[in-house]
Amino acid sequence: MKKTIYTIILAVIGLSTMNAQSPKGEYGAFALTNATVHTITNGTLENATVLIRDGKIEEVGTISNFGTDVTVIDCSGKHIFPGMIDSGTRLGLSEVGSVSLTQDFSEVGDIIPHMEALTAINPNSSLIPVTRVSGVTTTLSVPSGGLFPGTAALVNLHGYTPKQMHTGFSAPVMNFPASGKRGWWDRRSDEEIKKAVEKSFKQLDDVWEKVAQYHRIDSSRAAGSNSVELGYYPEMQALLPVFRKEVPLLIEVDKAKDIKKAIEWVQKQDIDVIFTGVSEGFRVADELAKANIPVIVGPTLSTPSQDYDRYDRPYANPGILQKAGVKVAIRTMETENVRNLPYNAGFAAAYGMSEEEALKAITIIPAQLFNVADELGSLEKGKQATLFVSTGHPFETSTDVEHVFIGGWQIPMSSRHIELYEEFLERSPGLKN
Amino acid sequence: MKKRFSITIMFSLFLVGSISAQTEKGDVLIKNGTLITVTNGTQETTDILIRDGKISGIGKDLSAPSGVQTIDATGKFVMPGIIDAHSHIALDAVNEATSPVTAEVWTGDALNPMDVGIYRALAGGVTISHAMHGSANAIGGQNATIKHRWGTVKMDDIRMEGAPRTIKFALGENPTRVHGEGSGLVPRTRMGVEQVIRRSFSEAKEYMEARDEHEQNKKKRNYKGTEPTYDIRKEVVADILRGDIIVHSHSYRADEILMLMNVFKDYGVEKLVFQHANEAFKVAPEIAEFGAMASVFADWWAYKFEVYYSTAYNAAILVQNGVTTSINSDSGELIRHLYHEAAKTQKYGELTDEQALELITLNPAKQLGIDDRVGSLEVGKDGDVVIFNNHPLSIYAVPQMTFVDGVKYFDIKEDEDDVRTYVNPAEEVDVMNKMTEHEKCMTNTEWLFLNE
C-alpha cells in the first residue's frame, strides 16, 4: 500500500528531473474506482466510483461506463474524502516566521478592513505544496492586528494567481476588544488596559455609525439621488457587505467574559457573524448555542488559556460546543503546519467529539459558513472536484494521502519535504562515494 | 583548593542523593495489559509488577503481594514513561544571556516544581524531561534531568538522582542574534560561533593542564609554584573535555553540525547530541560515523530562516542512516502529546511502531545517559509507566494513568479542574495564555528584541 505512493513520488520526481522544473497539475477526466467514498452529506459508499470531468464531480456511486477519454485510477482498498478546509490560517501571507520581510498578515492601522489578504497571498509559496499533499485543499487566510485588521480570503491551494485560487469568499475580520492582559508578555497596567478597551468600544461604535451612514448614502445614490457626495472611504466600502448581510463578520474573541460581551454586541446589530478562536467557549457553550452564533475554534492542539483549567480543555472545547448545539468548525491558525488540520480535528474526536462531527468541522461546516457549500465540503454530483484519496482515515498519522484533486486538477504529490526525503534518504555521494 | 572543591561537590552530591532518597517509591501491579516493552517486543495480556519504585516482574498471572494495589489494564496499552530530551518546563529561568559562554550556570538552580506544566506533561504520559538552558549562548548553561514527581514544593524532589551532567551549546541564528546583533560581541556569524567554542576549549585545556601539573608538582620537594587561580567556568568546560558532561547542542544547519563535530574531534570530545538539528538529515552519514545523536521536532519548520530548507522526514532519514534519534518538544504544548509527534514519523517516512516509539522512550534515555535506568519496560528499571486506552500511536490514544517510581501522579479519572500546587497571590486571573511560541529556547532574551 505504501509502496504505491513511493512509486508515484518517484515517477513525479523523475518527470520533474526530466523537465528540470516542478511538476505541474494535470487537468482532465478521471475515474476513481472501487473506493470507499466518504461523502460527508450522504453517508459512506463502498466500492464506489467518483467521476471527475471539467473540474466537477460528474457522478458519485456505481458507474460502469466511462468515456474513452477517462483516466482510470484504481482505488481498491482506498478511501476518498472531500478536501479538508482550514477555517483560519496565515498560509500564503508568511513565508518564514521570524523574517518580517516575508510577512504580510499585519498592516499598520487599527481600522483597516480594506486590507485584502487575497492581494498578498503568494501562490508560489513553498508552504502551499507542503500543505496540499496532506489533503488540506482549502484555507482561509486571515490578516491580524488591530480592531479591523483586514479582510480574510478563502482560497484553494492550486493556481498561479490569487484570483485562480480564490473560492469567491472573502470576509472582514474584527478583533473583539479584549479585557484583561493578552498574555504574560503584555506589560500594560490595569489602568492602561481599561483605557484601551474603552477606546476600542468607542472606536467600534464610531465605525458602526459610519458604516450605517455610508450605507444610507450609497443606497440613495444607487437609487438615483446625487444630493450627497460619497467620498473615497475604502474602510467603509469594505464593511458594507457585512452591514448588508452579504457576508458574515469574523469576530475573533476568546475569553468567556468577552464572548458574552460580544454576544450582546452582536444582538444589537442586524448582521451575520462567526466567532473565531473561542478558546473559552466551553464555559459559555449554552449562551453561544442560544444566540445561534457559529464558531471556528482552534488550534485544538494548544495549552489551556488558564493555569487553573483542566489540561484537556482545548482538546475538548470543539466537542463541548458542538454537543451544546453550536455549529463548530476547526482551524489550526497555523502557517507552515496547516497540514496538521486533521490532527487538530482528530484530538477533538479523541476527547469527546464524534469522529463524524470532527470530520464535518473541517469539511462541510466551513463550506456552509463560507457560503461555498454548493462547491466544496462534500462529495456530491455537481460540486467542485476538490478531494483526496488516502489509505485510511485522515485523522490517523499512519494514513498516507495518495492523490489530491483541487477543482479537477490532479495535484503533483510533491513538496519541498518530499523532495528532500527522496534526495537524502540515501544520499549520494554518501560518506565515501 | 581543588580538593576543597571536590569535597564540596561530593558533599552536595551526597546531599542531593540523601534528599532524593526520600522521594516516594510506590508499589503497584498492572494486570492484563498489552505491554509495549520497547526492548523486548509487544506482549499481549501481560502483567507488570512494580515494587519499591522499580519494575520487579513482567509476566503472565503475577499475583499482588499483600498490600500492593492491583490495576486492571485489560484492553489497554502499557508502555514506559515518555522521555522528553528537550524541554523548558519547571524552570524559573532559561537563558543567562549575558555572555557567549556561561558554562558555570545550571538550570538545576532554577527548578520550579510547582509549574503546572509538569502535571500537563504527566497527562501526556511524560515522566522525565530534560530541563534545558536556552540557546542564547554558544556555550550555555548546564541542564537538569528531572522526574515529574508532581505535588511537591521542594525543587530537590524533582531531580533525577544520579542522572549524568549535560550542558547546552547553541549554534546559528540565536547566539549570533543575541551577542553579535544584540550586543556587538563575537559571535555575529557562524564563523564566530566556531571560534568562541575553540577558544573556550583551548583555554579550558590549558587551565586543566596547568592545574593538573600543579597537583603533580605539589608532591615534589622544593616546589615553589603557586596554584593557578580557580575558575568555575573553565572547570566546567574542562569537565566537557574530560568526557564527564554530555553536550546537547542546539543546531539547525548541516554546515554548523559538521563544524561542531570537527571541533569535537580536535579535542577528543565524544558525547554529543544535536538538538533540533532540522538539517541533520543532510549529513546523517557523518553524524552516524561520529557517533553523535539527534533530538528533533516531528514537523516544525519555516518558523525562522535556518529551518526553511527542512523536511518532516528528518527523523526517518536519521533513523534509516543509523543515528540514535529522539523526538522532543521544546514546548509546554508539544510535551503533552509526544506520542502523537512520534506517530507522525509513520506519515513522514513510514517508521515501524517499534522505531516510532523508541524515539520517545529508549532513544532520549540514551541521549541523557539514563538508558540503564529508564526508557523500556525491563525488570530492574525504574517504575516509570504510562497506561493508554488505545495504541499510543493512534490519534485516539489518551493516557489514562502515569506512574513515576511506581507512584501514580496522573489518573484521568481523578483529574480535577484546578490542580495547581501554588497560586501566586499577585497573579492576574484574567491573563490569557494564548501566544504560541516556537522555540522556548529564547525565553529570557525578550528584552533584547522588545522593539521587534
Side-chain angles (χ1 to χ4, degrees), chain A residues 2 5 95-99 126-127 130 134 179-185 187 190 252 254-255 257 277 279-280 299-315 331 334 336-337 339-340 343 346-347 349-351 355 395-401 416-418 420-421 424-425 427 430-432, chain B residues 116 119-120 123-124 173 281-286 289 299-305 308-313 316-317 320-321 332-333 336-337 339-341 343-344 346-351 393-399 410 412 415-420 427-438 440 446 450:
Chain A
K2 290 186 171 174
I5 190 166
E95 193 69 11
V96 179
S98 72
V99 182
S126 71
L127 283 54
V130 171
S134 70
S179 59
K181 292 194 179 186
R182 296 191 198 109
W184 56 265
W185 39 269
R187 293 175 190 211
D190 291 353
E252 179 80 8
D254 280 294
K255 277 167 52 182
K257 198 160 90 179
S279 318
E280 297 189 1
T300 313
L301 294 167
S302 62
T303 42
S305 62
Q306 304 291 349
D307 276 357
Y308 52 77
D309 273 330
R310 289 176 54 133
Y311 79 97
D312 64 352
R313 284 302 191 194
Y315 302 154
R331 69 174 189 185
E334 262 285 356
E336 62 275 6
N337 276 336
R339 57 184 169 180
N340 285 336
Y343 309 139
F347 263 72
Y351 285 83
E355 185 174 88
F395 290 177
E396 293 288 0
T397 51
S398 52
T399 295
D400 284 328
V401 172
R416 169 171 297 168
H417 290 229
I418 292 168
L420 287 171
Y421 178 52
F424 286 98
L425 180 61
R427 202 187 69 187
L431 261 189
K432 290 176 185 76
Chain B
V116 73
Y119 179 81
R120 290 176 180 166
E173 286 181 20
F281 69 93
K282 293 183 179 173
V283 288
E286 285 79 6
E289 189 194 39
D299 60 6
W300 281 16
W301 72 295
Y303 50 91
K304 59 197 315 203
F305 192 69
Y308 188 49
Y309 295 94
S310 52
T311 174
Y313 295 82
I317 297 173
Q320 304 297 5
N321 279 271
E333 201 285 303
R336 307 177 316 141
H337 46 80
Y339 51 96
H340 170 59
E341 299 306 304
K344 287 177 182 171
Q346 304 202 306
K347 182 179 174 71
Y348 307 117
E350 297 167 13
L351 293 193
L393 297 175
S394 163
I395 197 78
Y396 293 104
V398 177
F410 170 75
I412 198 165
D415 183 46
E416 288 168 20
D417 257 338
D418 186 353
V419 298
R420 290 173 300 172
E427 182 181 303
E428 284 150 286
V429 176
D430 267 351
V431 177
M432 281 280 303
N433 304 324
K434 223 201 155 186
M435 195 164 91
T436 50
E437 296 153 88
H438 281 114
K440 267 278 195 184
E446 296 88 354
L450 278 181

Side-chain angles (χ1 to χ4, degrees), chain B residues 101 139 167 169 194-208 234 236-238 240-241 247 260 262-269:
Chain B
V101 181
I139 298 183
I167 192 167
F169 277 33
E194 174 181 13
Q195 296 310 324
V196 165
I197 296 168
R198 282 193 182 275
R199 177 171 297 276
S200 184
F201 276 13
S202 168
E203 286 172 355
K205 190 162 178 267
E206 280 173 26
Y207 170 85
M208 178 171 72
K234 288 176 184 164
V236 176
V237 179
I240 296 171
L241 301 179
V247 175
L260 194 64
N262 286 334
V263 173
F264 275 39
K265 273 178 206 159
D266 289 348
Y267 284 86
V269 182

Side-chain angles (χ1 to χ4, degrees), chain B residues 55-247:
Chain B
I55 299 171
S56 69
I58 292 175
K60 309 266 180 198
D61 302 318
L62 300 183
S63 51
S66 67
V68 172
Q69 195 205 347
T70 302
I71 290 165
D72 180 17
T74 308
K76 300 200 165 62
F77 292 79
V78 182
M79 69 174 275
I82 294 166
I83 300 169
D84 186 359
H86 191 137
S87 152
H88 303 285
I89 64 163
L91 285 180
D92 279 336
V94 173
N95 267 304
E96 178 58 44
T98 50
S99 162
V101 181
T102 56
E104 68 279 15
V105 304
W106 180 40
T107 59
D109 285 326
L111 293 180
N112 172 12
M114 284 98 72
D115 179 0
V116 73
I118 297 174
Y119 179 81
R120 290 176 180 166
L122 284 163
V126 182
T127 51
I128 290 174
S129 61
H130 190 205
M132 297 189 81
H133 189 272
S135 53
N137 313 332
I139 298 183
Q142 297 166 78
N143 316 302
T145 300
I146 62 170
K147 278 207 163 195
H148 296 164
R149 300 181 183 112
W150 174 246
T152 179
V153 296
K154 288 186 263 177
M155 68 200 291
D156 287 326
D157 286 351
I158 60 171
R159 298 182 204 283
M160 181 170 179
E161 62 291 349
R165 294 165 73 194
T166 67
I167 192 167
K168 178 78 168 273
F169 277 33
L171 318 176
E173 286 181 20
N174 288 6
T176 56
R177 202 168 151 223
V178 169
H179 300 290
E181 275 181 41
S183 316
L185 295 171
V186 178
R188 185 183 283 158
T189 65
R190 287 181 174 79
M191 301 187 286
V193 173
E194 174 181 13
Q195 296 310 324
V196 165
I197 296 168
R198 282 193 182 275
R199 177 171 297 276
S200 184
F201 276 13
S202 168
E203 286 172 355
K205 190 162 178 267
E206 280 173 26
Y207 170 85
M208 178 171 72
E209 284 165 357
R211 286 187 68 91
D212 287 350
E213 197 182 315
H214 173 74
E215 286 300 311
Q216 288 302 316
N217 288 340
K218 262 186 0 191
K219 293 167 195 157
K220 294 180 191 155
R221 273 186 190 191
N222 302 324
Y223 173 62
K224 294 269 195 301
T226 50
E227 180 183 338
T229 315
Y230 175 76
D231 183 322
I232 187 168
R233 182 176 290 175
K234 288 176 184 164
E235 278 294 337
V236 176
V237 179
D239 284 344
I240 296 171
L241 301 179
R242 290 185 185 105
D244 292 343
I245 303 180
I246 306 168
V247 175

